[in-house]
Amino acid sequence: MSTKDYLEKDYYAVLGVPKTATAEEIKKAYRKLARQYHPDANPGDSATSGNTARFKEVSEAYDVLSDTKRRKEYDEARTLFGSGLGGYAGPGGAGRQGGFSFDLGDLFGGTHQQSGGIGDIFGGLFNRGGTAPRGTARTRRGQDVETEVTLSFAEAAEGTTVSLRLTSSSACTACGGTGAKAGTTPRVCPTCEGTGAASRNLGNFAFSEPCRDCKGRGLLVDDPCSVCEGSGRGKSTRTIQARIPAGVGDGQRIKIKAKGAPGENGGPAGDLYVQIHVKPHPVFGRTGENLTVTVPVTFTEAALGAEIKVPTLKGMPVTLRIPEGTPNGRTFRVRGRGVARKDGTKGDLLVTVEVLVPQQLEDKARGALEEFRDATAGFDPRAELIQQARSE
Ligand SMILES: [Zn+2]
Ligand SMILES: [Zn+2]
């Protein structure tokens, strides 16, 4: 920004705030305008559109007014020389070097939806000093792609391979992404010599912006491809086989590297994110790498001890020995019958016994239980409880 800029531009008017605005008010006004004019909010716009120009203006104004020191300089310059002096040539070298910066994290509140998108738009757009990187068409990382998949309980526990149908933006297949009609090739843009960037001087502050003639591509297409109308972009649907590791949980999001949209001009592919849904199982539950199951046992099995059959996930039942005098709700561990771990071993199956009380008794069974009652008449299971309650 030069002194000339300071005198010609009314940054307060650009942001629509009074001269007396607080830092907070300035920030608020900037955020509102930046959201409105930001290239992401106007995806159809070219780099030279009104919105883009307005966005730069707003950013420039905020850049000065948000910096206490620079705002003071700005106010002083305008008080000293009067404002609105169109054509005033400021004293050489009195302006500032560089300093054209803005905080994207601030602007977007740290949202993380489109990694890569912002970098793409601003890559080389505002680099200081006007030295655009030289090179041919810029490489661009492919977009990250999101998808979701619903697994059965067993698939999630043991790992599986799923087919995922992905739709992503990719190079147009008709022209191979060049945007030029079949049989023709794009030519290097003579304005920017293929860099895609143009340098612009603002007083003694220079910055580079996308070349107007080729819109930053570095290439010009004389005969556009009819399929993509010269954009070089197309939608592609592909099916990939993705390995879902054992032990994924419901609600987990897994990242599969480089399986997102393909990159452009030799850039790397984006990543694929898969949101996992797991259907519940009617019998088994999961806690981390262990499976859980509740198994009913009879009163006599619990009292006398028994060998009981316990179901396993996708396997034959196993025999579990429960000891004499097993209380209701006790949990036993069957090793190696849980969820597969990374190293190929498995977690455990946690078996919780639930003692059943018979709902109906045959005569013989009733007689036996009455005999049992008489035989244990001397035992009062509540005696200790009642005594404890009294002694407090
Ligand atoms: Zn095409
Ligand atoms: Zn160009």
Side-chain angles (χ1 to χ4, degrees):
M1 245 63 49
S2 67
T3 309
K4 183 168 173 289
D5 278 339
Y6 276 12
L7 296 175
E8 279 178 353
K9 295 180 180 171
D10 187 346
Y11 292 143
Y12 292 102
V14 167
L15 292 182
V17 294
K19 270 198 171 138
T20 53
T22 63
E24 197 49 45
E25 286 164 346
I26 287 170
K27 192 172 181 178
K28 241 177 102 179
Y30 164 68
R31 281 188 174 190
K32 188 164 166 273
L33 292 168
R35 279 205 188 93
Q36 186 179 346
Y37 293 112
H38 190 275
D40 272 359
N42 305 282
D45 283 3
S46 73
T48 52
S49 76
N51 284 334
T52 309
R54 189 88 173 86
F55 178 66
K56 279 181 196 152
E57 242 175 61
V58 165
S59 301
E60 188 187 321
Y62 179 66
D63 207 43
V64 172
L65 296 188
S66 63
D67 181 326
T68 322
K69 199 169 147 242
R70 295 178 64 186
R71 183 179 176 186
K72 194 162 163 270
E73 284 173 8
Y74 174 71
D75 288 344
E76 279 170 1
R78 286 174 73 86
T79 312
L80 202 58
F81 295 105
S83 54
L85 293 181
Y88 173 84
R96 300 183 53 86
Q97 282 292 338
F100 196 92
S101 67
F102 54 88
D103 185 0
L104 282 170
D106 202 33
L107 184 58
F108 292 100
T111 56
H112 199 66
Q113 298 177 329
Q114 262 198 320
S115 48
I118 289 165
D120 279 354
I121 287 164
F122 292 103
L125 195 71
F126 293 117
N127 58 347
R128 293 173 188 183
T131 47
R134 284 224 151 220
T136 48
R138 279 183 297 167
T139 63
R140 213 182 265 245
R141 181 178 174 276
Q143 278 186 324
D144 291 340
V145 175
E146 291 269 352
T147 190
E148 52 188 349
V149 67
T150 300
L151 305 175
S152 74
F153 186 89
E155 285 171 336
E158 302 190 332
T160 184
T161 300
V162 291
S163 284
L164 299 171
R165 236 174 98 84
L166 306 174
T167 301
S168 57
S169 132
S170 64
C172 166
T173 48
C175 61
T178 65
K181 198 166 144 185
T184 71
T185 44
R187 60 191 167 92
V188 172
C189 170
T191 313
C192 61
E193 296 173 307
T195 62
S199 178
R200 197 145 74 96
N201 260 314
L202 286 178
N204 53 5
F205 169 77
F207 67 95
S208 77
E209 59 182 9
C211 169
R212 285 160 198 246
D213 291 334
C214 62
K215 299 193 170 73
R217 275 191 74 198
L219 298 169
L220 287 176
V221 172
D222 297 318
D223 244 340
C225 162
S226 55
V227 177
C228 63
E229 293 172 331
S231 72
R233 315 286 308 158
K235 280 245 177 283
S236 74
T237 302
R238 58 208 161 99
T239 302
I240 66 155
Q241 302 296 311
R243 179 74 201 154
I244 307 292
V248 292
D250 186 50
Q252 207 176 320
R253 191 164 167 266
I254 62 170
K255 174 179 173 178
I256 303 177
K257 265 188 101 68
K259 290 286 189 185
E264 280 176 54
N265 300 323
D271 298 324
L272 172 64
Y273 290 90
V274 185
Q275 180 79 46
I276 304 283
H277 304 286
V278 180
K279 286 187 219 154
H281 195 281
V283 169
F284 297 99
R286 249 179 75 182
T287 54
E289 60 184 35
N290 296 327
L291 288 176
T292 59
V293 65
T294 298
V295 174
V297 296
T298 64
F299 164 72
T300 46
E301 284 170 337
L304 301 175
E307 285 186 349
I308 61 169
K309 288 240 181 286
V310 171
T312 61
L313 184 66
K314 296 193 83 175
M316 295 299 285
V318 291
T319 300
L320 174 70
R321 183 187 304 272
I322 61 169
E324 194 178 308
T326 292
N328 181 47
R330 173 160 289 178
T331 298
F332 297 89
R333 183 180 293 268
V334 181
R335 295 206 182 274
R337 296 295 182 142
V339 177
R341 297 190 190 105
K342 277 200 185 96
D343 64 2
T345 63
K346 282 184 165 191
D348 303 329
L349 175 61
L350 303 179
V351 182
T352 301
V353 298
E354 184 182 53
V355 175
L356 287 186
V357 174
Q359 301 296 298
Q360 281 182 332
L361 290 172
E362 302 282 318
D363 283 352
K364 196 178 167 201
R366 174 177 296 275
L369 275 182
E370 281 169 356
E371 244 177 81
F372 173 78
R373 179 192 59 199
D374 297 343
T376 56
F379 172 61
D380 179 0
R382 292 166 293 275
E384 202 183 336
L385 184 76
I386 286 165
Q387 200 195 342
Q388 262 186 339
R390 275 209 198 108
S391 68
E392 269 299 309

